[in-house]
Amino acid sequence: MKKQKIFVEVILPITIGKLTYSVEGELINDISIGKRVIVKLGKKKFYTAIIYKIHNEIPSFNVKSIISVIDDKPLILKTQLEIWNWISEYYLCEIGEVMNCAVPSFLKLSSETKIEYNKSNFDRFNFTKDEKKIISFLINNGWVKIKLLEKINSNAFSTSIRLLEKGHINIEDNFISFNESNKREIIELSDNLDNKSAYDSLNKFHNSPKQKKFLDIFFQQNLNKDVILREFLRKYNFNIIIVKSLVKKNIINIKFKDYNNLNSFKLKKQPLYKLNYEQKSVFDKIIQSKKNVSLIFGVTSSGKTELYSHLIDKQIKNDNQVLFLVPEIALTTHLVSRLMSMFGDKIGVFHSKQSLHEKKILWIDLIKNNNIKIVVGARSSLFLPFSNLKLIIVDEEHETSYKQQSPSPRYNARDLAVYMGKIYRAKVILGSATPSIESLYNSNKNKYDIFYLNKRYGDFKFPQVKIINLVDSLRKNNMIGIFSKKLIDEINKILKKNQKVLLFKNRRGFALNQRCNSCGKITECRFCSVSMTYHKYKNILRCHYCGFEENCSEICYDCKSSNIEFFGYGTEKIEENLKLLFPTKNIQRMDYDTTRKKNSFDKIFTKFQANQIDILVGTQMIIKGLDFTNIGLVGIIDSDQLINYPNFRSNERAYQMLTQVAGRAGRRVNGSKVIIQTFQPNHKVILNFLNNNHKQFIVNQLTERRLFKYPPYYKLIHIFLIHKRKDKLDLASNYFKDKLKNILEDFLGPEYPLIERLKGEYHKQVLIKINDKISLTKIKINLKKIIKLCIKSNKFGGLKIKVDVDPF
């Protein structure tokens, strides 16, 4: 009798398309689309793959069999696979790259993954022979790659997954099995003990500093949420022996608890804010609208979040799911606290700074339990397994942060949200005080509905705007370092009123470059053709492109002169100068350098809201939807840097940033001011902003875009050819150009960009412009073929090609 066999197409998290494997025997009953399976690639590599398709067509080539099925039920839903496929086709990338981006690291496993023995799991199971081998090897060797274990045991991959399910090993990406229980080990004080009696009990035995430190941190963590044992030990680097000792002394207990919710905070539920007449009118029109996408064009502080809340409430009452996208991770905590006061523990959060356990619990809930109805997150939350998604809100839809830059796929979360609205039959709300030109164009073309909020919530007045001409200030000697005297005088007036000051400069660091005045040499990064930024607090030079750092030298490496000087300035220098001018005031900085640690952004924001900070200096991080109170003055230190950026969108972005920064002023306070320092007071962007002439600004921009063949009238595809050797890159780019001429006429390049070397590799760029008369799909198919030809050619070994569709 012939052995029954069927075939599956699977997706692997690497830069390849779908691969075919066979399924035999008992495994046939276990497979279904969306489940994870273990497959072998080549002779030595193993991967966790996702089943994309099941069929009976016998391939014309030899195929391997899948090794095992991991999940009881699908991890990835069919709608998600449909979205992955669209991303792959639209953004010209392999579906494996989409999987790698869409599936969190804790759901993937490969032979390259590192594992270790989990000391914190002191439950005992009966090990199989294979498991004993692996456990004993891990105890003696610490972190080990699975491919190394395969040398001592041929079943290492499958055995490792079983050990993970039992909790006996940790994994560097914290892989998850959906067969495991949601119960977690929780630490709590023993019955009838409070903090003081716990210390007294501890002192009866002996004085143990480590155990006291453990209790100190435990008491802080236990104030408002459960303390999960495994996370607590890992985060604070405590040994399980301390826990055992405290349990033996009857000071703490460990119990198992279902932990399905991300939010263990108990907040008193508040009613929704009442909508004013304008908000209620927009709400009714959105509900009645038959279009999938609605654009809310609401001035800063017009109460868009209150309007969103009522739209969310309507969906929750119908037991539907809502996705609320924000452009920055830092905004999630601020927004979640507002939403939780209205919707309680129905809210989940998903972004890169969360713990792996929090991410796991949300994913499990969406797949299994469906308790979470509202997900707040950054762009990656679009890839979560929604089953009943009916509302997607994209707040600050114009933000560049919604565009994924690296790695592939280089998708735009706003555009993907619009596509997902069609797939899920969900309403998509795009909101902004400064909508993107593309979204305004789509509303003019009747693709989107557009609704306006023209008044500030509470009828607070817009701030008064003043322009300071730096050319005049320098000529009249009215400058104090980088500040005009007028700006310093206004800061003094505001501080005397006990109001706060917000100062904006979109460059971090102390100085933008270091130059030798003897030979003129500017210190550049060793791996990129860019100048290094000086950070005084660490006395280092750092490349903001690749992250390379080196100690700051007082002597020029080229001519050995000590005549070294720093030029330009960033937020760090502004902060230092302000401390000299206002020594009695609390001045702090909010940029990437001061908010790297988890919760650091929230701490600065909370202190500023509580009036513990008088002047806050920040980059664009401070302008993205934050609701600051009691701000009397907003200062834009250098508006010219925004305007003069070499990009076809520079004027649009400059206008948006000026509007957004100014919008932080005057929230729940009247008489506020905005001061803009500039060398170009008559620039069209400045004048349009000053006169609040947004319509004229958009008309001018659209005229220029049409004339010079840019979006929204033309589609752009930006291609980078990358190689470590310049000569091979030149050969490859010429070959690419010749092939491209066969399918296109309108393209620019190949040419070296402004920064021709990044991370030790040379770059050449090609910009393709496609109008609506040409088939975009056909161009993409042919372009994919040319790219494959170039990469496979032996002449250009080591060539990489990066494709960016709709570059931002």
Side-chain angles (χ1 to χ4, degrees), residues 36 43 119 125 135 412 433 584 618 667 669 684 708 801:
R36 291 176 299 170
K43 291 183 178 179
K119 297 172 187 173
F125 292 85
I135 287 290
N412 188 312
T584 61
R667 290 168 176 253
V669 63
K684 58 187 176 184
F708 295 107
I801 297 180

Side-chain angles (χ1 to χ4, degrees), residues 528-707:
C528 310
S529 52
V530 291
S531 60
M532 304 268 277
T533 301
Y534 176 56
H535 292 259
K536 191 175 181 180
Y537 76 107
K538 280 189 174 181
N539 195 34
I540 57 165
L541 292 165
R542 179 184 292 146
C543 174
H544 287 177
Y545 285 85
C546 72
F548 172 70
E549 292 180 1
E550 65 181 21
N551 292 328
C552 187
S553 173
E554 295 178 2
I555 298 171
C556 175
Y557 290 119
D558 280 24
C559 70
K560 309 304 178 189
S561 168
S562 59
N563 190 9
I564 300 288
E565 197 172 351
F566 294 106
F567 289 89
Y569 61 93
T571 49
E572 192 184 347
K573 187 172 184 178
I574 294 170
E575 180 190 24
E576 183 182 90
N577 288 0
L578 286 169
K579 285 179 177 177
L580 294 172
L581 292 167
F582 304 98
T584 61
K585 300 299 178 182
N586 190 344
I587 298 159
Q588 287 203 23
R589 180 163 44 98
M590 184 184 278
D591 56 25
Y592 179 75
D593 296 321
T594 61
T595 57
R596 284 185 182 184
K597 293 181 180 177
K598 190 176 181 180
N599 301 324
S600 53
F601 178 94
D602 300 327
K603 287 175 185 175
I604 296 171
F605 177 79
T606 303
K607 284 175 72 178
F608 193 58
Q609 290 292 73
N611 296 320
Q612 294 171 16
I613 298 172
D614 300 301
I615 304 174
L616 183 64
V617 182
T619 56
Q620 61 177 324
M621 195 175 281
I622 65 174
I623 73 174
K624 297 185 178 181
L626 289 172
D627 188 19
F628 293 118
T629 56
N630 197 33
I631 292 180
L633 175 67
V634 168
I636 300 170
I637 307 299
D638 178 16
S639 64
D640 303 298
Q641 174 216 339
L642 305 175
I643 295 165
N644 298 325
Y645 191 78
N647 186 288
F648 77 93
R649 297 186 193 272
S650 62
N651 284 347
E652 179 188 5
R653 288 180 185 166
Y655 189 92
Q656 288 168 341
M657 279 198 184
L658 289 172
T659 305
Q660 293 288 344
V661 176
R664 300 313 106 194
R667 290 168 176 253
R668 293 182 285 284
V669 63
N670 281 320
S672 58
K673 293 179 182 177
V674 175
I675 292 180
I676 301 172
Q677 292 190 161
T678 178
F679 286 98
Q680 305 172 80
N682 295 317
H683 194 283
K684 58 187 176 184
V685 172
I686 300 286
L687 292 176
N688 280 318
F689 168 72
L690 191 60
N691 298 320
N692 196 25
N693 200 349
H694 191 265
K695 284 184 181 178
Q696 187 58 49
F697 175 76
I698 295 298
V699 168
N700 293 343
Q701 286 297 296
L702 285 171
T703 304
E704 288 180 13
R705 299 275 183 94
R706 187 193 288 273
L707 181 63

Side-chain angles (χ1 to χ4, degrees), residues 501-529:
V501 177
L502 199 65
L503 296 179
F504 170 74
K505 165 73 175 177
N506 203 28
R507 287 297 290 268
R508 60 192 171 98
F510 187 85
L512 303 187
N513 53 61
Q514 181 192 50
R515 188 178 73 191
C516 172
N517 286 335
S518 296
C519 67
K521 175 75 175 177
I522 291 176
T523 308
E524 286 193 346
C525 174
R526 292 182 197 176
F527 308 102
C528 310
S529 52

